[in-house]
Structures are given as C-alpha cells and as structure tokens.
Coordinates of all heavy atoms in Angstrom, one line a residue:
M1 N -44.2 -73.1 -2.9 CA -44.0 -72.5 -4.2 C -42.5 -72.0 -4.2 O -42.0 -71.5 -3.2 CB -44.9 -71.3 -4.3 CG -44.7 -70.5 -5.5 SD -46.2 -69.8 -6.1 CE -45.7 -69.2 -7.7
A2 N -41.9 -72.0 -5.4 CA -40.6 -71.6 -5.6 C -40.4 -70.1 -5.3 O -41.3 -69.3 -5.6 CB -40.1 -71.9 -7.0
S3 N -39.3 -69.7 -4.7 CA -39.0 -68.3 -4.5 C -38.1 -67.7 -5.6 O -38.1 -66.5 -5.8 CB -38.4 -68.1 -3.1 OG -37.2 -68.7 -3.0
R4 N -37.4 -68.7 -6.3 CA -36.5 -68.2 -7.4 C -36.7 -69.3 -8.5 O -36.8 -70.4 -8.3 CB -35.1 -68.1 -6.9 CG -35.0 -67.1 -5.8 CD -33.7 -66.4 -5.5 NE -32.7 -66.2 -6.5 CZ -32.6 -65.0 -7.2 NH1 -33.4 -64.0 -7.0 NH2 -31.6 -64.9 -8.1
Y5 N -36.6 -68.8 -9.7 CA -36.6 -69.6 -10.9 C -35.3 -69.6 -11.7 O -34.6 -68.6 -11.7 CB -37.7 -69.1 -11.9 CG -39.1 -69.2 -11.5 CD1 -40.0 -68.3 -12.0 CD2 -39.6 -70.1 -10.6 CE1 -41.4 -68.3 -11.6 CE2 -40.9 -70.2 -10.2 CZ -41.8 -69.3 -10.7 OH -43.1 -69.3 -10.4
R6 N -34.9 -70.8 -12.2 CA -33.8 -70.8 -13.1 C -34.4 -70.9 -14.5 O -35.3 -71.8 -14.8 CB -32.9 -72.0 -12.8 CG -31.7 -72.2 -13.8 CD -30.8 -73.3 -13.4 NE -30.3 -73.1 -12.0 CZ -29.3 -72.2 -11.6 NH1 -28.7 -71.5 -12.5 NH2 -28.9 -72.2 -10.4
I7 N -34.0 -70.0 -15.4 CA -34.5 -70.0 -16.8 C -33.5 -70.4 -17.8 O -32.3 -70.0 -17.7 CB -34.9 -68.5 -17.1 CG1 -35.8 -67.9 -16.1 CG2 -35.5 -68.4 -18.5 CD1 -36.0 -66.4 -16.3
S8 N -33.9 -71.3 -18.7 CA -33.0 -71.6 -19.8 C -33.8 -71.6 -21.1 O -35.0 -71.8 -21.1 CB -32.3 -73.0 -19.6 OG -33.3 -74.0 -19.5
V9 N -33.0 -71.3 -22.2 CA -33.6 -71.3 -23.5 C -32.8 -72.3 -24.4 O -31.5 -72.2 -24.4 CB -33.5 -69.9 -24.2 CG1 -34.0 -70.0 -25.6 CG2 -34.3 -68.9 -23.3
D10 N -33.4 -73.2 -25.0 CA -32.8 -74.2 -26.0 C -32.6 -73.4 -27.2 O -33.5 -73.1 -28.0 CB -33.7 -75.4 -26.2 CG -33.1 -76.4 -27.2 OD1 -32.2 -76.0 -27.9 OD2 -33.6 -77.5 -27.2
R11 N -31.3 -72.9 -27.4 CA -31.0 -72.1 -28.6 C -31.3 -72.8 -29.9 O -31.6 -72.2 -30.9 CB -29.6 -71.5 -28.5 CG -29.5 -70.6 -27.3 CD -28.1 -70.0 -27.1 NE -27.6 -69.4 -28.3 CZ -27.9 -68.2 -28.7 NH1 -28.8 -67.5 -28.1 NH2 -27.4 -67.7 -29.8
A12 N -31.1 -74.1 -30.0 CA -31.3 -74.8 -31.2 C -32.8 -74.9 -31.5 O -33.2 -75.0 -32.7 CB -30.8 -76.3 -31.1
A13 N -33.7 -74.9 -30.5 CA -35.1 -75.0 -30.8 C -35.8 -73.6 -31.0 O -36.8 -73.5 -31.6 CB -35.8 -75.7 -29.6
C14 N -35.2 -72.5 -30.4 CA -35.8 -71.2 -30.5 C -36.0 -70.8 -32.0 O -35.1 -70.8 -32.8 CB -34.9 -70.2 -29.8 SG -35.5 -68.5 -29.8
L15 N -37.2 -70.3 -32.2 CA -37.6 -69.8 -33.5 C -37.3 -68.3 -33.7 O -37.4 -67.8 -34.8 CB -39.1 -70.1 -33.8 CG -39.5 -71.5 -33.7 CD1 -41.0 -71.6 -33.9 CD2 -38.8 -72.3 -34.8
G16 N -37.0 -67.6 -32.6 CA -36.8 -66.1 -32.6 C -38.1 -65.4 -32.9 O -38.1 -64.2 -33.4
S17 N -39.2 -65.9 -32.5 CA -40.5 -65.2 -32.7 C -40.6 -63.9 -31.8 O -41.4 -63.0 -32.2 CB -41.7 -66.1 -32.3 OG -41.7 -66.3 -30.9
G18 N -39.9 -63.9 -30.7 CA -40.0 -62.7 -29.9 C -41.1 -62.6 -28.9 O -41.3 -61.6 -28.2
L19 N -42.0 -63.7 -28.9 CA -43.1 -63.6 -28.0 C -42.7 -63.5 -26.6 O -43.3 -62.8 -25.8 CB -44.0 -64.9 -28.2 CG -44.8 -65.0 -29.5 CD1 -45.5 -66.4 -29.6 CD2 -45.9 -63.9 -29.4
C20 N -41.6 -64.2 -26.2 CA -41.1 -64.1 -24.8 C -40.7 -62.7 -24.4 O -41.0 -62.2 -23.3 CB -40.0 -65.1 -24.6 SG -38.6 -64.8 -25.6
T21 N -40.1 -62.0 -25.4 CA -39.7 -60.6 -25.1 C -40.8 -59.7 -25.0 O -40.8 -58.7 -24.3 CB -38.7 -60.1 -26.2 OG1 -39.3 -60.1 -27.4 CG2 -37.4 -61.0 -26.2
G22 N -41.9 -60.0 -25.7 CA -43.1 -59.2 -25.6 C -43.9 -59.4 -24.3 O -44.4 -58.5 -23.7
V23 N -43.9 -60.7 -23.9 CA -44.6 -61.0 -22.6 C -43.8 -60.7 -21.4 O -44.3 -60.2 -20.4 CB -44.9 -62.6 -22.6 CG1 -45.4 -63.0 -21.3 CG2 -45.9 -62.9 -23.7
A24 N -42.5 -60.9 -21.5 CA -41.6 -60.7 -20.3 C -40.3 -59.9 -20.7 O -39.2 -60.5 -20.6 CB -41.3 -62.0 -19.6
P25 N -40.4 -58.7 -21.1 CA -39.2 -58.0 -21.6 C -38.1 -57.8 -20.5 O -37.0 -57.6 -20.8 CB -39.8 -56.7 -22.1 CG -41.0 -56.5 -21.3 CD -41.6 -57.9 -21.2
N26 N -38.5 -57.9 -19.2 CA -37.5 -57.7 -18.2 C -36.8 -59.0 -17.9 O -35.8 -59.0 -17.2 CB -38.2 -57.3 -16.9 CG -38.8 -55.9 -17.0 OD1 -38.3 -55.0 -17.7 ND2 -39.8 -55.6 -16.2
H27 N -37.2 -60.1 -18.6 CA -36.6 -61.4 -18.4 C -35.9 -62.0 -19.6 O -35.1 -62.9 -19.5 CB -37.6 -62.3 -17.7 CG -38.1 -61.9 -16.4 ND1 -37.3 -62.0 -15.3 CD2 -39.3 -61.4 -16.0 CE1 -38.0 -61.6 -14.2 NE2 -39.2 -61.2 -14.7
F28 N -36.3 -61.5 -20.8 CA -35.8 -62.1 -22.0 C -35.4 -61.0 -23.0 O -36.0 -59.9 -23.0 CB -36.9 -63.0 -22.7 CG -37.3 -64.2 -21.9 CD1 -38.4 -64.1 -21.0 CD2 -36.6 -65.4 -22.0 CE1 -38.7 -65.2 -20.3 CE2 -36.9 -66.5 -21.2 CZ -38.0 -66.4 -20.4
R29 N -34.5 -61.4 -23.9 CA -34.0 -60.5 -24.9 C -33.7 -61.3 -26.1 O -33.4 -62.5 -26.0 CB -32.9 -59.6 -24.5 CG -31.6 -60.4 -24.3 CD -30.5 -59.5 -23.9 NE -29.3 -60.2 -23.5 CZ -28.4 -60.7 -24.4 NH1 -28.5 -60.4 -25.7 NH2 -27.3 -61.4 -24.0
L30 N -33.7 -60.7 -27.3 CA -33.2 -61.4 -28.5 C -31.8 -61.0 -28.8 O -31.5 -59.8 -28.7 CB -34.1 -61.1 -29.7 CG -35.6 -61.6 -29.7 CD1 -36.3 -61.3 -31.0 CD2 -35.6 -63.1 -29.5
D31 N -30.9 -61.9 -29.1 CA -29.5 -61.6 -29.3 C -29.4 -61.1 -30.8 O -30.4 -61.0 -31.5 CB -28.6 -62.7 -29.0 CG -28.7 -64.0 -29.8 OD1 -29.4 -63.9 -30.9 OD2 -28.2 -65.0 -29.3
A32 N -28.2 -60.9 -31.3 CA -27.9 -60.4 -32.6 C -28.4 -61.4 -33.7 O -28.7 -61.1 -34.8 CB -26.4 -60.1 -32.8
E33 N -28.6 -62.7 -33.3 CA -29.0 -63.7 -34.2 C -30.5 -64.0 -34.1 O -31.0 -64.9 -34.7 CB -28.2 -65.0 -34.0 CG -26.8 -64.9 -34.2 CD -26.0 -66.1 -33.7 OE1 -26.6 -66.9 -32.9 OE2 -24.8 -66.2 -34.0
Y34 N -31.2 -63.1 -33.4 CA -32.6 -63.2 -33.1 C -33.0 -64.5 -32.4 O -34.0 -65.1 -32.7 CB -33.4 -63.0 -34.4 CG -33.2 -61.6 -35.0 CD1 -32.3 -61.4 -36.0 CD2 -33.9 -60.5 -34.4 CE1 -32.1 -60.1 -36.6 CE2 -33.6 -59.2 -34.9 CZ -32.7 -59.1 -36.0 OH -32.5 -57.8 -36.5
I35 N -32.2 -64.9 -31.5 CA -32.4 -66.1 -30.6 C -32.6 -65.5 -29.2 O -31.9 -64.7 -28.7 CB -31.3 -67.0 -30.7 CG1 -31.0 -67.5 -32.1 CG2 -31.5 -68.2 -29.8 CD1 -32.1 -68.3 -32.8
S36 N -33.6 -66.1 -28.5 CA -33.9 -65.6 -27.2 C -32.8 -66.0 -26.2 O -32.2 -67.1 -26.3 CB -35.3 -66.2 -26.7 OG -35.5 -65.8 -25.4
R37 N -32.7 -65.1 -25.2 CA -31.7 -65.4 -24.1 C -32.4 -64.8 -22.8 O -33.0 -63.7 -22.9 CB -30.4 -64.6 -24.3 CG -29.6 -65.1 -25.4 CD -28.3 -64.3 -25.4 NE -27.3 -64.8 -26.3 CZ -26.4 -65.7 -26.0 NH1 -26.3 -66.1 -24.8 NH2 -25.6 -66.2 -26.9
P38 N -32.2 -65.5 -21.7 CA -32.7 -64.9 -20.5 C -31.8 -63.8 -20.1 O -30.6 -63.8 -20.3 CB -32.6 -66.0 -19.5 CG -31.7 -67.0 -20.0 CD -31.7 -66.9 -21.5
R39 N -32.3 -62.7 -19.6 CA -31.5 -61.6 -19.1 C -30.7 -62.0 -17.9 O -29.5 -61.5 -17.8 CB -32.4 -60.4 -18.8 CG -33.0 -59.8 -20.1 CD -33.7 -58.4 -19.7 NE -34.2 -57.9 -20.9 CZ -33.6 -57.1 -21.8 NH1 -32.3 -56.8 -21.6 NH2 -34.2 -56.6 -22.8
E40 N -31.2 -62.9 -17.1 CA -30.5 -63.5 -16.0 C -30.9 -64.9 -15.9 O -32.0 -65.3 -16.2 CB -30.9 -62.8 -14.7 CG -30.5 -61.3 -14.6 CD -30.8 -60.7 -13.3 OE1 -30.6 -61.4 -12.2 OE2 -31.3 -59.5 -13.3
D41 N -30.0 -65.8 -15.5 CA -30.3 -67.2 -15.4 C -31.1 -67.6 -14.3 O -32.0 -68.5 -14.4 CB -29.0 -68.0 -15.3 CG -28.1 -68.0 -16.6 OD1 -28.7 -67.8 -17.7 OD2 -26.9 -68.1 -16.5
V42 N -31.0 -66.8 -13.1 CA -31.8 -67.1 -11.9 C -32.5 -65.8 -11.6 O -31.9 -64.7 -11.5 CB -31.0 -67.6 -10.8 CG1 -31.8 -67.8 -9.5 CG2 -30.3 -68.9 -11.1
V43 N -33.9 -65.8 -11.4 CA -34.6 -64.7 -11.1 C -35.6 -65.0 -10.0 O -35.9 -66.1 -9.7 CB -35.4 -64.2 -12.3 CG1 -34.5 -63.8 -13.5 CG2 -36.4 -65.2 -12.8
D44 N -36.1 -63.9 -9.3 CA -37.2 -64.1 -8.4 C -38.4 -64.6 -9.1 O -38.6 -64.3 -10.2 CB -37.5 -62.7 -7.7 CG -36.5 -62.2 -6.8 OD1 -35.7 -63.0 -6.3 OD2 -36.4 -61.0 -6.6
A45 N -39.1 -65.5 -8.4 CA -40.3 -66.1 -9.0 C -41.3 -65.0 -9.4 O -41.5 -64.1 -8.7 CB -41.0 -67.0 -7.9
D46 N -41.7 -65.2 -10.7 CA -42.6 -64.2 -11.3 C -43.5 -64.9 -12.3 O -43.0 -65.6 -13.2 CB -41.7 -63.1 -12.0 CG -42.5 -61.9 -12.5 OD1 -43.7 -62.0 -12.6 OD2 -41.8 -60.9 -12.8
E47 N -44.8 -64.7 -12.2 CA -45.7 -65.4 -13.0 C -45.5 -65.1 -14.5 O -45.7 -65.9 -15.4 CB -47.1 -65.0 -12.6 CG -48.2 -65.8 -13.3 CD -48.3 -67.3 -12.8 OE1 -47.9 -67.6 -11.7 OE2 -48.7 -68.1 -13.6
V48 N -45.0 -63.9 -14.8 CA -44.8 -63.5 -16.2 C -43.7 -64.4 -16.9 O -43.8 -64.7 -18.1 CB -44.4 -62.0 -16.3 CG1 -43.0 -61.7 -15.8 CG2 -44.7 -61.5 -17.7
V49 N -42.8 -65.0 -16.1 CA -41.8 -65.9 -16.7 C -42.5 -67.2 -17.1 O -42.2 -67.7 -18.2 CB -40.7 -66.2 -15.6 CG1 -39.7 -67.2 -16.1 CG2 -39.9 -64.9 -15.3
I50 N -43.4 -67.7 -16.3 CA -44.2 -68.9 -16.7 C -45.0 -68.6 -17.9 O -45.1 -69.4 -18.8 CB -45.0 -69.3 -15.5 CG1 -44.2 -69.8 -14.3 CG2 -46.0 -70.4 -15.9 CD1 -44.9 -70.0 -13.1
D51 N -45.6 -67.4 -18.0 CA -46.4 -67.0 -19.1 C -45.6 -67.0 -20.4 O -46.0 -67.5 -21.5 CB -47.0 -65.6 -19.0 CG -48.1 -65.6 -17.9 OD1 -48.6 -66.6 -17.4 OD2 -48.4 -64.5 -17.4
A52 N -44.4 -66.5 -20.3 CA -43.5 -66.5 -21.5 C -43.1 -67.9 -21.9 O -43.1 -68.2 -23.1 CB -42.2 -65.7 -21.2
A53 N -42.8 -68.7 -21.0 CA -42.4 -70.1 -21.3 C -43.6 -70.8 -22.0 O -43.5 -71.6 -22.9 CB -42.0 -70.9 -20.1
E54 N -44.8 -70.6 -21.4 CA -46.0 -71.3 -22.0 C -46.5 -70.8 -23.3 O -47.1 -71.5 -24.1 CB -47.1 -71.2 -20.9 CG -46.8 -72.1 -19.7 CD -47.8 -72.1 -18.6 OE1 -48.7 -71.2 -18.7 OE2 -47.7 -72.9 -17.7
C55 N -46.1 -69.5 -23.7 CA -46.5 -69.0 -25.0 C -45.5 -69.3 -26.1 O -45.7 -69.0 -27.2 CB -46.8 -67.5 -24.9 SG -45.4 -66.4 -24.9
C56 N -44.3 -69.8 -25.7 CA -43.2 -70.1 -26.7 C -43.7 -71.1 -27.7 O -44.0 -72.2 -27.3 CB -42.0 -70.5 -26.0 SG -40.6 -71.0 -27.1
P57 N -43.8 -70.7 -29.0 CA -44.3 -71.7 -30.0 C -43.4 -72.9 -30.2 O -43.8 -74.0 -30.6 CB -44.4 -70.9 -31.3 CG -43.5 -69.7 -31.1 CD -43.4 -69.5 -29.6
A58 N -42.1 -72.8 -29.8 CA -41.2 -73.9 -30.0 C -41.0 -74.7 -28.7 O -40.2 -75.6 -28.6 CB -39.8 -73.4 -30.5
E59 N -41.6 -74.2 -27.6 CA -41.4 -74.8 -26.3 C -39.9 -74.8 -25.9 O -39.4 -75.8 -25.4 CB -42.0 -76.1 -26.1 CG -43.5 -76.1 -26.2 CD -44.2 -77.4 -26.0 OE1 -43.5 -78.4 -25.8 OE2 -45.5 -77.4 -26.0
A60 N -39.2 -73.8 -26.3 CA -37.7 -73.7 -26.1 C -37.3 -73.2 -24.7 O -36.2 -73.2 -24.4 CB -37.1 -72.8 -27.2
I61 N -38.3 -72.6 -24.0 CA -38.0 -72.0 -22.7 C -38.3 -73.0 -21.6 O -39.4 -73.6 -21.6 CB -38.8 -70.7 -22.5 CG1 -38.4 -69.7 -23.5 CG2 -38.5 -70.2 -21.0 CD1 -39.3 -68.5 -23.6
T62 N -37.4 -73.2 -20.7 CA -37.6 -74.1 -19.5 C -37.4 -73.3 -18.3 O -36.5 -72.5 -18.1 CB -36.6 -75.3 -19.5 OG1 -36.7 -76.0 -20.7 CG2 -36.8 -76.2 -18.3
V63 N -38.4 -73.4 -17.3 CA -38.3 -72.8 -16.0 C -38.4 -73.8 -15.0 O -39.3 -74.7 -15.0 CB -39.5 -71.8 -15.9 CG1 -39.4 -71.0 -14.5 CG2 -39.5 -70.8 -17.0
V64 N -37.4 -73.8 -14.1 CA -37.4 -74.7 -12.9 C -37.2 -74.0 -11.6 O -36.7 -72.9 -11.6 CB -36.2 -75.8 -13.1 CG1 -36.4 -76.6 -14.4 CG2 -34.9 -75.2 -13.1
D65 N -37.6 -74.6 -10.5 CA -37.3 -74.1 -9.2 C -35.8 -74.1 -9.0 O -35.1 -75.1 -9.2 CB -38.0 -75.0 -8.2 CG -37.9 -74.5 -6.8 OD1 -36.7 -74.2 -6.3 OD2 -38.9 -74.5 -6.1
A66 N -35.3 -72.9 -8.7 CA -33.8 -72.8 -8.6 C -33.2 -73.6 -7.5 O -32.1 -74.0 -7.5 CB -33.5 -71.3 -8.4
D67 N -34.0 -73.9 -6.4 CA -33.5 -74.6 -5.3 C -33.6 -76.1 -5.5 O -32.7 -76.8 -5.1 CB -34.3 -74.2 -4.0 CG -34.0 -72.8 -3.6 OD1 -32.9 -72.3 -3.8 OD2 -35.0 -72.1 -3.1
T68 N -34.7 -76.6 -6.0 CA -35.0 -78.0 -6.1 C -34.7 -78.6 -7.5 O -34.6 -79.8 -7.7 CB -36.4 -78.4 -5.7 OG1 -37.3 -77.8 -6.6 CG2 -36.7 -77.8 -4.3
G69 N -34.8 -77.8 -8.5 CA -34.7 -78.2 -9.9 C -36.0 -78.8 -10.4 O -36.1 -79.3 -11.5
A70 N -37.1 -78.7 -9.6 CA -38.4 -79.2 -10.1 C -38.9 -78.3 -11.2 O -38.8 -77.1 -11.1 CB -39.4 -79.1 -8.9
P71 N -39.5 -78.9 -12.2 CA -40.1 -78.2 -13.4 C -41.2 -77.3 -12.9 O -42.0 -77.7 -12.1 CB -40.6 -79.2 -14.3 CG -40.1 -80.5 -13.8 CD -39.7 -80.4 -12.4
V72 N -41.2 -76.1 -13.5 CA -42.3 -75.1 -13.2 C -43.0 -74.8 -14.5 O -44.2 -74.8 -14.5 CB -41.7 -73.8 -12.7 CG1 -42.8 -72.7 -12.5 CG2 -40.9 -74.0 -11.4
A73 N -42.3 -74.7 -15.6 CA -43.0 -74.5 -17.0 C -42.0 -74.9 -18.1 O -40.8 -74.8 -17.9 CB -43.3 -73.0 -17.1
P74 N -42.4 -75.3 -19.2 CA -43.8 -75.4 -19.6 C -44.5 -76.6 -19.1 O -44.0 -77.6 -18.7 CB -43.8 -75.4 -21.1 CG -42.5 -76.0 -21.5 CD -41.6 -75.6 -20.3

C-alpha cells in the first residue's frame, strides 16, 4: 500500500461542487474561481483523499501512489 499520495485536479473538468472540500477539507480547497485545488500536491496516504476523489461528480480528482505513479483513485 502507498505511503504517500500525489493529488491532482483537472481544473477544466472541475464543476466546483465543493464535495471534495466537504469530505476532505484538510486536503482540498476551492480557489477564487470556485475550482478545487489540493492543499498540497503530495500527502501522507489517507483514505479520506480516496473518498473525495470517488465522490467527485466530474471525476476531476486523480490520486496516484507518489512513489510508483500507480493509480489509487478514482
């Protein structure tokens, strides 16, 4: 299992629903344009990051293993 995740958000796909910020407020924020951004690009592995990626209605969030690049979510 990954010990660190790399998080990215496809800004063109993001709908700005804010679900990710509700599920994982320590890992995501909405910018001034109401587009999601990860608070940090690489974080310690945390199930809540996967939950946020999986609940994104636009599937704009990608989570990969920071060491191997293997997909983790969605």
Side-chain angles (χ1 to χ4, degrees):
M1 175 148 191
S3 62
R4 300 201 31 96
Y5 294 153
R6 180 172 304 280
I7 306 169
S8 62
V9 176
D10 179 343
R11 295 182 51 78
C14 179
L15 302 173
S17 71
L19 286 173
C20 58
T21 61
V23 171
N26 293 332
H27 297 289
F28 296 93
R29 67 180 175 85
L30 294 180
D31 65 16
E33 297 169 347
Y34 298 99
I35 302 297
S36 178
R37 292 183 173 267
R39 292 189 179 271
E40 295 182 41
D41 293 332
V42 178
V43 299
D44 290 335
D46 187 344
E47 189 70 27
V48 73
V49 174
I50 295 170
D51 293 344
E54 290 179 347
C55 80
C56 177
E59 295 185 356
I61 300 169
T62 303
V63 182
V64 300
D65 182 309
D67 294 327
T68 67
V72 176

